[in-house]
Amino acid sequence: MHLIDLQAFLSELSENNNRAWFVMNKPRYDILRAEFLQLVTELITGIQKFDAAITGCEPKKALFRINRDVRFGHDKSPYKTTFSSSILPSGRKKPSEGGGPAYYFQLDANGRLFFACGEYMPPADRLKAIREQIINDEAGFEKLLKDKKLKQTFGELQEEGKLKRPPKGYDADLKHIEYLKLKNFMVWTECPYQGLGSDEVKQTLLKAYQSALPLVQWLRGA
């Protein structure tokens, strides 16, 4: 994938986020989209080598549309300024749709590669199942928290959107109460993609995703 061209396109799009500009530059977008699809296809093939559950994921279904849903937000810009993908066995793009843990990444207009694993804003029944798994599998959860490769690559579980108080029905003195307050069960990090080739991005992601496999497998067990 021509990452220099991708950043140039996304940067220009961020400054001209309107339909007229996009239509004029649609041929550029189509080429970049095809290259991005190829990157995702190769990434899925690589992930399959350590996570066989991904085998059925269709690359086209793993890509997010560039069009924004502007119905409910104040920002009416019609296009996203990222190319992004979410890889799940189910083919659904969002863990919040009940698809379970995902391998996610995006390339943005500022030359940043953002990548994550886990479940973002899972629905209520799924969130309850994860919380029950924390309580019922203390040993497995503690082993996950101590996993060296996971921590070296991503750090701790992210606390974005964490509850200030214990969730309803859970005692404040439970051993892992701070983790029971989480509404997301994700790890993520980012790095520049300027100067990298497509294969270097792919290898960076594959190495990171393999380090996050214990989190993915633990979540699937919930």
Side-chain angles (χ1 to χ4, degrees):
M1 184 171 194
H2 295 88
L3 295 172
I4 294 175
D5 294 345
L6 173 64
Q7 187 184 356
F9 174 84
L10 292 174
S11 180
E12 291 172 39
L13 175 59
S14 67
E15 296 174 1
N16 304 275
N17 203 324
N18 59 75
R19 188 174 183 277
W21 185 91
F22 190 84
V23 170
M24 286 289 291
N25 288 273
K26 183 69 160 47
R28 294 171 64 194
Y29 169 75
D30 290 340
I31 292 170
L32 291 166
R33 182 78 168 181
E35 292 179 349
F36 187 65
L37 176 61
Q38 180 60 33
L39 172 60
V40 172
T41 301
E42 293 175 5
L43 196 57
I44 291 172
T45 299
I47 294 172
Q48 289 173 11
K49 294 177 181 178
F50 57 81
D51 186 357
I54 296 301
T55 301
C57 182
E58 297 181 35
K60 286 186 178 180
K61 290 185 177 181
L63 271 60
F64 284 96
R65 298 172 69 242
I66 199 166
N67 302 78
R68 295 181 63 249
D69 185 347
V70 300
R71 291 174 297 171
F72 309 110
H74 295 295
D75 183 0
K76 299 301 181 182
S77 302
Y79 304 106
K80 301 170 188 173
T81 55
T82 61
F83 272 34
S84 55
S85 170
S86 188
I87 299 170
L88 302 91
S90 67
R92 295 174 178 174
K93 294 184 178 68
K94 299 179 182 178
S96 60
E97 296 173 337
Y103 301 96
Y104 175 86
F105 79 101
Q106 70 178 36
L107 299 156
D108 71 17
N110 297 316
R112 304 295 296 179
L113 167 63
F114 173 92
F115 45 106
C117 282
E119 298 191 41
Y120 178 74
M121 297 296 289
D125 58 340
R126 180 70 187 140
L127 184 57
K128 180 176 174 58
I130 295 171
R131 286 170 172 164
E132 292 301 312
Q133 178 84 339
I134 291 174
I135 294 171
N136 297 327
D137 182 29
E138 279 191 5
F141 186 64
E142 288 170 7
K143 181 180 179 182
L144 171 66
L145 295 176
K146 295 175 182 177
D147 189 277
K148 289 184 179 179
K149 288 185 178 180
L150 179 64
K151 291 182 71 173
Q152 286 173 355
T153 304
F154 291 101
E156 306 291 338
L157 286 173
Q158 295 291 333
E159 297 190 359
E160 181 181 289
K162 183 179 179 180
L163 298 173
K164 293 182 179 180
R165 297 180 179 179
K168 186 177 180 180
Y170 294 89
D171 293 333
D173 59 354
L174 285 169
K175 184 174 182 180
H176 293 302
I177 190 60
E178 292 305 312
Y179 292 101
L180 294 171
K181 294 178 183 178
L182 297 178
K183 292 196 288 184
N184 305 303
F185 288 85
M186 300 279 295
V187 290
W188 63 70
T189 189
E190 63 178 3
C191 67
Y193 68 78
Q194 295 118 320
L196 297 180
S198 180
D199 192 62
E200 290 174 297
V201 167
K202 181 179 69 175
Q203 294 304 324
T204 296
L205 292 171
L206 287 175
K207 184 178 179 181
Y209 291 157
Q210 189 164 13
S211 76
L213 185 61
L215 172 61
V216 171
Q217 292 176 326
W218 187 87
L219 286 167
R220 285 184 186 150

